[in-house]
Amino acid sequence: MSKGILYDATLCIGCKQCEQACATENGLPYDDKIAAQDVTSAHKYTTVLTKDDKFMRKLCMHCDDPACASVCPVGALRKTTIGPVTYDKHKCMGCRYCMAACPFSVPKYEWDKAVPGVRKCIMCAPRLAEGKPTACAEICPTGATKFGDRDELLKEAHKRIQDNPANYLPHIFGETEVGGSSVLLLSSIGFNTFSLRTDLTERALPLYTYQVLSRIPDFVPIFGVLLGGVYWITHRREPVAEADARERHDHKGGAQ
Amino acid sequence: MTIPQIRFTFWKAIFLVIMVAGVYSTYIRFSRGLGASTNLSDQFPWGIWIGFDVMCGVMLAAGGFTLTAAVHIFNIGRWHAIVRPTILTAFMGYLLVCAALLYDLGLPWNIWHPLVMRNPHSVMFEIAYCVMLYTAVLALEFSPIVFEKFGWKKPLMLVRRVMMVFVILGVILSTLHQSSLGTLYLIMPNKLHPFWYSPLLPVFFYISAIAVGLAMIIFESSMSSKYFGRELELPILREMGRVLVVVLAIYGILRFQDLYHRSVLGMIFVSGYEQRFFLLEIFLSVLIPLGLLLVPKVRESAQGLYLAGVLTLLGFVTNRLNVTITGVENAVGARYMPKWTEVVITAVLVALGFAIFGMAARYLPIFPEEKAHLPAMPRPEGVRGEIAVPVHAGD
């Protein structure tokens, strides 16, 4: 069963303990200055945004069919069957196509290092392997960040909206965006308030390139035969012309 | 001939300055990383090293496959005289693209990873393979020039016997990766501005590569005639000009049809940041060159062809920069201007391109006249390609 995270912004109190737990789990520095940063970066995989008395968490969405993993030429980024999208620096060559392709601009780069890598939330994949929840969900004092089976969380999210329609936008961010994701977000105000794009396609992004790439194996032999055929036909003229000339010459020679 | 001598010294000085700045920039890049040497950011992971050095580098080297296809596959023998300088340009272009990648990749020593860690769903993987194989093919297409220079008959005969297969392979590989540079952006429907995001991106990249290939041949021939005192192959270039008209017209019509069908044609009349760059691109790449080349007087003159060719090159360079930079700026909410170190490295690669071409033209049998000075390697008379002849001989 694929795991997931349900973040319910209406339950969040903005304590940022998830940020702290995330930093500790991933061996990243954390202090007041970093807590005040409202963008994710190579040293901050998640951030809690505040708008008046409303909150929103930013983290990797762990798409069901992730653009980043699809575009990675060496397979350094990978969607695991239990949910997390993980990264292997030993494979990475640093082309940064994942950063360009991600619809949420999640992967970040260690720009200041001479031997850099991509950094992003990996949904605490090592913890999940041990059967533990993510660090952010474990520490959350209000249950705003909840870890569980993605299918169960989705059902619960729908139920929360149904039971309390006045409290929620009738939309679960991540249910259908770019084909769905392991992370689901609930909010009472528009997601675009926190610069989450609401105009995203429901189609999994890798399909856009796959519909072209998948035709290459069929295209190559046909194009090869076409080019070879053109060569074969166009170069036929010369021997014919030569033979004609020889014949004419012989004919002339014979007449003399 | 004192004037060319002064010119040469002037360019030599410029070259030296660029190289010195290049060494320093290289030191910064590899000792302190991409952050210190570029204006790239998490919002803007690709800058001019990708947008110009790689995207435009590959595009500007497209003359190689265009001309070998025309001469060796379509058997347009009268264009044969310019095959060698064109292959030299292409081979050099791809080597410089590979050099640029070593600067841009975060972990360049892992550049070989796609060889063994394959992800066939990645466009980048496909491009990596095609560029690698095509560079090898170009080395092979270039090798007869070197073999001839040193009079190595055996390898020369061997290479010529298998050349046709490699010419076809080269055209296939080029078709794949020239178009795939456009396919790279298909996965960003929500990032790239609708002026440029289109399901037809791969088709646009491919057709424009052919146009640029032709324009580059015109440019390179004109430069060679100017700086090496060679006679200009004007009749050939005039024909190229005509082909360029057709290719540009097809490209232009397709571009506007696509804008119309995606209901964004109206946007070209609405003033805006992207709109200005779009108009600049369309005028430079299609409208002005077409307008010029449709005038017989311009199309027939060396200067007219040169101007139309250079504008086409500038126009499609603008196109590639628009796709990689202008078109994504608003979606990612950031502006990008290259840092001086990025500009210097790009200038180094361009300068190396000119220098290597000059050296090769001086020391290798690139131009037909020089071949005449090689009595050791008599070549068959007539319009047939040097490659095509041995194939028949072997039949």
Side-chain angles (χ1 to χ4, degrees):
Chain A
M1 190 64 98
S2 176
K3 299 292 179 187
I5 292 173
L6 172 63
Y7 170 76
D8 186 337
T10 65
L11 300 175
C12 184
I13 54 170
C15 67
K16 299 200 177 193
Q17 288 190 59
C18 51
E19 289 187 7
Q20 171 119 46
C22 175
T24 309
E25 172 64 26
N26 291 292
L28 300 168
Y30 195 76
D31 54 30
D32 289 349
K33 217 177 100 193
I34 293 169
Q37 293 169 354
D38 60 357
V39 288
T40 54
S41 62
H43 60 263
K44 189 172 186 180
Y45 300 168
T46 185
T47 181
V48 178
L49 302 176
T50 311
K51 172 90 180 171
D52 304 326
D53 61 340
K54 309 288 185 193
F55 305 100
M56 179 53 65
R57 254 193 89 188
K58 286 281 187 76
L59 70 163
C60 174
M61 297 297 289
H62 298 279
C63 305
D64 291 341
D65 193 355
C68 60
S70 150
V71 301
C72 181
V74 293
L77 287 152
R78 204 164 64 86
K79 174 77 176 175
T80 55
T81 46
I82 58 162
V85 176
T86 58
Y87 169 71
D88 182 354
K89 189 178 172 179
H90 297 296
K91 288 186 175 175
C92 183
M93 59 178 191
C95 71
R96 309 186 297 283
Y97 192 11
C98 51
M99 304 177 68
C102 175
F104 307 105
S105 297
V106 165
K108 306 293 181 192
Y109 213 59
E110 296 175 315
W111 297 106
D112 49 352
K113 289 193 180 173
V115 185
V118 171
R119 306 306 297 266
K120 71 181 249 330
C121 160
I122 53 163
M123 211 165 135
C124 294
R127 286 176 64 97
L128 263 59
E130 294 170 21
K132 290 195 275 188
T134 62
C136 57
E138 192 178 64
I139 199 104
C140 184
T142 64
T145 298
K146 190 177 174 183
F147 177 82
D149 288 334
R150 200 248 185 194
D151 294 347
E152 298 295 320
L153 294 174
L154 187 60
K155 266 184 225 159
E156 187 174 336
H158 276 295
K159 194 167 177 301
R160 286 189 199 177
I161 294 175
Q162 211 173 1
D163 292 350
N164 211 340
N167 227 353
Y168 293 100
L169 279 179
H171 181 73
I172 304 164
F173 195 96
E175 183 181 10
T176 56
E177 274 79 8
V178 292
S181 54
S182 298
V183 174
L184 304 165
L185 309 173
L186 283 175
S187 173
S188 59
I189 60 167
F191 291 98
N192 50 356
T193 315
F194 302 100
S195 62
L196 276 162
R197 297 194 60 163
T198 47
D199 59 345
L200 290 170
T201 168
E202 295 191 355
R203 204 165 166 227
L205 295 176
L207 297 175
Y208 284 86
T209 39
Y210 192 65
Q211 63 185 8
V212 177
L213 271 184
S214 58
R215 298 203 181 136
I216 289 177
D218 290 344
F219 168 80
V220 167
I222 290 176
F223 196 48
V225 168
L226 180 72
L227 292 174
V230 169
Y231 168 80
W232 186 61
I233 292 164
T234 57
H235 287 72
R236 173 72 189 140
R237 289 186 208 134
E238 282 155 14
V240 169
E242 241 168 57
D244 278 356
R246 210 169 27 242
E247 219 167 76
R248 239 173 292 141
H249 181 79
D250 289 351
H251 189 70
K252 233 187 336 186
Q256 276 171 351
Chain B
M1 293 288 275
T2 47
I3 293 163
Q5 195 54 46
I6 291 163
R7 244 195 207 126
F8 182 69
T9 320
F10 170 72
W11 287 115
K12 221 167 162 182
I14 297 263
F15 182 80
L16 217 69
V17 171
I18 293 175
M19 287 305 138
V20 170
V23 169
Y24 184 58
S25 302
T26 305
Y27 170 73
I28 298 178
R29 159 66 189 91
F30 289 104
S31 65
R32 292 169 52 202
L34 286 164
S37 53
T38 69
N39 274 345
L40 298 176
S41 63
D42 285 335
Q43 288 80 38
F44 240 101
W46 286 350
I48 56 162
W49 287 349
I50 292 293
F52 184 83
D53 302 15
V54 175
M55 287 285 186
C56 296
V58 170
M59 174 182 77
L60 293 168
F65 90 89
T66 312
L67 197 64
T68 50
V71 172
H72 295 311
I73 296 174
F74 288 88
N75 201 16
I76 308 176
R78 58 187 183 277
W79 288 2
H80 192 259
I82 51 173
V83 165
R84 286 188 167 196
T86 307
I87 285 183
L88 168 64
T89 309
F91 183 41
M92 209 178 55
Y94 276 85
L95 290 180
L96 293 174
V97 165
C98 295
L101 277 174
L102 293 179
Y103 279 89
D104 186 75
L105 288 178
L107 307 165
W109 44 90
N110 288 349
I111 195 170
W112 56 275
H113 276 187
L115 277 175
V116 291
M117 302 167 188
R118 301 186 183 93
N119 177 14
H121 286 249
S122 166
V123 185
M124 188 73 83
F125 168 79
E126 189 236 318
I127 293 174
Y129 253 84
C130 282
V131 168
M132 196 167 52
L133 291 173
Y134 186 54
T135 307
V137 166
L138 277 172
L140 217 95
E141 290 181 350
F142 186 75
S143 66
I145 300 171
V146 180
F147 295 154
E148 218 172 77
K149 165 82 181 171
F150 296 106
W152 297 342
K153 289 186 187 175
K154 260 204 180 132
L156 190 61
M157 286 312 290
L158 198 73
V159 163
R160 282 183 180 173
R161 198 158 294 161
V162 295
M163 190 56 93
M164 206 48 230
V165 177
F166 284 95
V167 167
I168 291 178
L169 190 65
V171 175
I172 295 174
L173 289 169
S174 293
T175 302
L176 292 183
H177 73 263
Q178 291 284 0
S179 60
S180 288
L181 288 174
T183 314
L184 274 183
Y185 282 84
L186 285 186
I187 205 158
M188 304 175 212
N190 302 104
K191 275 192 176 173
L192 186 57
H193 191 279
F195 277 146
W196 297 284
Y197 185 86
S198 158
L200 290 182
L201 261 177
V203 179
F204 292 148
F205 268 58
Y206 182 58
I207 301 178
S208 56
I210 294 172
V212 167
L214 295 166
M216 194 67 185
I217 292 168
I218 294 174
F219 173 72
E220 174 258 297
S221 293
S222 306
M223 293 293 277
S224 296
S225 91
K226 193 173 170 192
Y227 286 102
F228 303 124
R230 300 192 53 253
E231 200 183 323
L232 191 66
E233 297 96 344
L234 197 53
I236 298 179
L237 299 193
R238 281 180 184 147
E239 288 184 328
M240 297 256 159
R242 281 176 187 251
V243 180
L244 186 57
V245 167
V246 177
V247 177
L248 284 180
I250 289 173
Y251 175 84
I253 292 169
L254 208 56
R255 238 359 244 289
F256 280 99
Q257 283 174 340
D258 171 65
L259 290 171
Y260 171 75
H261 290 306
R262 288 186 298 110
S263 313
V264 285
L265 195 55
M267 286 170 72
I268 68 173
F269 303 109
V270 183
S271 175
Y273 180 72
E274 285 88 0
Q275 180 245 16
R276 282 192 287 279
F277 279 94
F278 173 80
L279 289 182
L280 177 72
E281 168 201 326
I282 285 293
F283 273 96
L284 282 178
S285 62
V286 179
L287 298 180
I288 302 178
L290 264 185
L292 285 173
L293 290 172
L294 284 174
V295 179
K297 223 178 195 172
V298 178
R299 189 172 61 224
E300 299 295 312
S301 80
Q303 293 86 347
L305 282 166
Y306 179 72
L307 181 64
V310 169
L311 287 177
T312 307
L313 295 180
L314 289 176
F316 284 110
V317 166
T318 312
N319 168 258
R320 297 305 194 259
L321 292 176
N322 278 345
V323 171
T324 48
I325 293 163
T326 320
V328 295
E329 282 187 323
N330 264 348
V332 301
R335 290 268 185 267
Y336 163 83
M337 276 298 279
K339 207 173 201 166
W340 69 268
T341 31
E342 289 177 89
V343 178
V344 163
I345 294 301
T346 300
V348 164
L349 296 172
V350 173
L352 278 177
F354 278 97
I356 297 170
F357 188 94
M359 296 280 273
R362 206 162 292 257
Y363 296 110
L364 292 172
I366 300 293
F367 298 112
E369 284 94 330
E370 273 140 322
K371 288 180 205 162
H373 299 306
L374 288 168
M377 286 299 300
R379 6 189 72 254
E381 299 269 315
V383 291
R384 291 154 78 197
E386 91 245 31
I387 288 158
V389 174
V391 173
H392 288 300
D395 282 347

